[in-house]
Amino acid sequence: MNTPIVEFFKKYILNIKTISIFTAISIPVFLVFLFDKGLGAGILTIAFLTVITFLFFRFFKQKNKEIYFVFLIFILIHLAAVLFIYYAKFQPFSGGSDADGYNGTAIQVAERLSYGNFSVAGIPRVNNFPILIGVIYFLTVPTMLVGQLFMVWLAAVSLSLVYFIILEIGGPKKSAVLISIILSFYPSYLLFGSLLLKDNLVTPLLLAGILLSVKMLKNFGTWKNLIWKFLLFFVILGGLMHLRFYMGFALMFSFIISWFVASNFERNKKIIYGLAMMFLLGFSPQIIGSGYYGQNLFKNFLNKESITN
């Protein structure tokens, strides 16, 4: 039985063109492996994730061909930054110590996975970001360069989301391309976006949440679209709460306030949908153990000792 997904794979993956491109990429990557295994594994990871991203664009029938071109530009810009920072050991500001800590935890996770041990008990961590990196290390090579090259793909995704946000709020394609490319050279993001830091996962999550917020404020569409958009927003919000709770709250409350002020719905629907979403969104921080609407976080931080510190 040929489903839309099966047809998609037959058309775009199981064809001579795709196999030829994959072969052409594999040969130089193999040569890089001979020079540096970490670099080869990292580039292969970027290539694989880029192909998946392009297939994702195709699957959702993305008609703006410019995004494919600018995505590759984003990759090349941040790839150059990572290689310079890594091999030149360029680290003028803070951030390196956190990156070393995440790298050490990720290596421990990868080692446990290699022995078939899926437990993270006893591994020092404050969030699950190094676990994600550890899985990537397990599938490739346990070296920081691989993790930093994964940050290259996350940066490209973030900048692509900026492109889509500009289009969603009515900006022209040329402006979306120009602004997203200019942002790719933003100095602090070019530096810290090339390090193994959890903020590089926070950025695409936050931008994806903003994009979904704009889409929901404009029009839910069908009930089916309503469900998947809100569920995806809920999941993204949970991820943000876990990594940077204050960014999660900023996204949550900005969406709630914007809903009642700027959503394109008649008054009754705006109130009913808004109250229902307000009720449900409070469970996002509760799922990660912070209490309904993060009441446990407020208890921990809004006290004399925490404020003094």
Side-chain angles (χ1 to χ4, degrees):
M1 180 178 179
N2 289 336
T3 64
I5 295 179
V6 172
E7 290 293 335
F8 177 81
F9 269 78
K10 286 183 178 179
K11 184 176 181 181
Y12 295 110
I13 298 180
L14 301 178
N15 59 64
I16 298 298
K17 184 178 179 180
T18 302
I19 295 174
S20 300
I21 293 174
F22 181 78
T23 303
I25 294 174
S26 300
I27 294 174
V29 170
F30 174 75
L31 296 176
V32 172
F33 259 105
L34 299 178
F35 167 70
D36 188 325
K37 289 184 179 180
L39 179 59
I43 291 178
L44 189 61
T45 301
I46 292 176
F48 173 75
L49 292 173
T50 300
V51 171
I52 295 298
T53 304
F54 285 176
L55 291 174
F56 180 84
F57 291 159
R58 288 247 186 170
F59 184 75
F60 285 96
K61 300 179 181 179
Q62 179 54 237
K63 297 179 181 180
N64 297 322
K65 295 182 179 180
E66 295 87 354
I67 187 60
Y68 297 91
F69 174 69
V70 295
F71 190 89
L72 291 177
I73 292 179
F74 301 151
I75 290 288
L76 292 175
I77 292 171
H78 280 264
L79 175 61
V82 165
L83 295 180
F84 171 75
I85 290 171
Y86 182 82
Y87 287 108
K89 300 186 185 303
F90 181 75
Q91 184 51 253
F93 307 111
S94 62
S97 58
D98 289 341
D100 291 335
Y102 287 135
N103 182 60
T105 301
I107 290 175
Q108 292 184 55
V109 172
E111 289 177 348
R112 291 195 181 190
L113 290 175
S114 65
Y115 294 118
N117 183 357
F118 297 94
S119 172
V120 293
I123 295 180
R125 60 190 175 87
V126 294
N127 56 71
N128 291 324
F129 173 73
I131 295 178
L132 170 63
I133 303 302
V135 172
I136 295 173
Y137 284 0
F138 168 70
L139 296 173
T140 55
V141 178
T143 176
M144 184 182 284
L145 181 57
V146 173
Q148 288 181 256
L149 291 174
F150 177 64
M151 300 300 104
V152 170
W153 178 74
L154 288 178
V157 170
S158 298
L159 294 164
S160 300
L161 288 167
V162 171
Y163 171 88
F164 288 124
I165 289 171
I166 294 171
L167 293 181
E168 195 66 35
I169 61 178
K173 292 181 183 179
K174 289 184 179 179
S175 296
V177 171
L178 181 61
I179 292 171
S180 55
I181 290 178
I182 290 174
L183 285 175
S184 67
F185 288 99
Y186 190 72
S188 63
Y189 189 52
L190 200 60
L191 173 61
F192 292 107
S194 301
L195 301 178
L196 193 63
L197 300 173
K198 69 177 181 180
D199 303 85
N200 296 320
L201 182 57
V202 171
T203 303
L205 285 175
L206 182 58
L207 289 169
I210 293 173
L211 179 60
L212 279 171
S213 296
V214 175
K215 286 181 174 292
M216 288 191 287
L217 290 172
K218 288 177 64 177
N219 188 8
F220 266 137
T222 64
W223 278 102
K224 185 177 181 180
N225 288 335
L226 160 63
I227 293 173
W228 81 257
K229 285 178 183 177
F230 181 76
L231 286 177
L232 185 55
F233 182 79
F234 187 90
V235 172
I236 289 172
L237 195 60
L240 276 175
M241 291 287 185
H242 174 66
L243 294 171
R244 291 285 188 200
F245 72 89
Y246 45 87
M247 301 299 289
F249 280 115
L251 177 62
M252 176 193 289
F253 290 122
S254 64
F255 170 70
I256 292 174
I257 294 171
S258 299
W259 175 266
F260 289 104
V261 174
S263 60
N264 293 330
F265 289 87
E266 61 183 43
R267 183 178 179 181
N268 290 339
K269 287 186 177 180
K270 182 184 294 188
I271 294 174
I272 294 172
Y273 292 167
L275 292 176
M277 288 188 292
M278 282 183 62
F279 172 73
L280 293 173
L281 287 175
F283 290 102
S284 183
Q286 186 173 33
I287 290 175
I288 62 172
S290 299
Y292 189 68
Y293 267 102
Q295 57 183 334
N296 295 340
L297 286 172
F298 289 110
K299 289 180 181 178
N300 292 333
F301 285 93
L302 296 183
N303 58 68
K304 182 179 178 180
E305 291 76 13
S306 297
I307 293 174
T308 301
N309 288 332

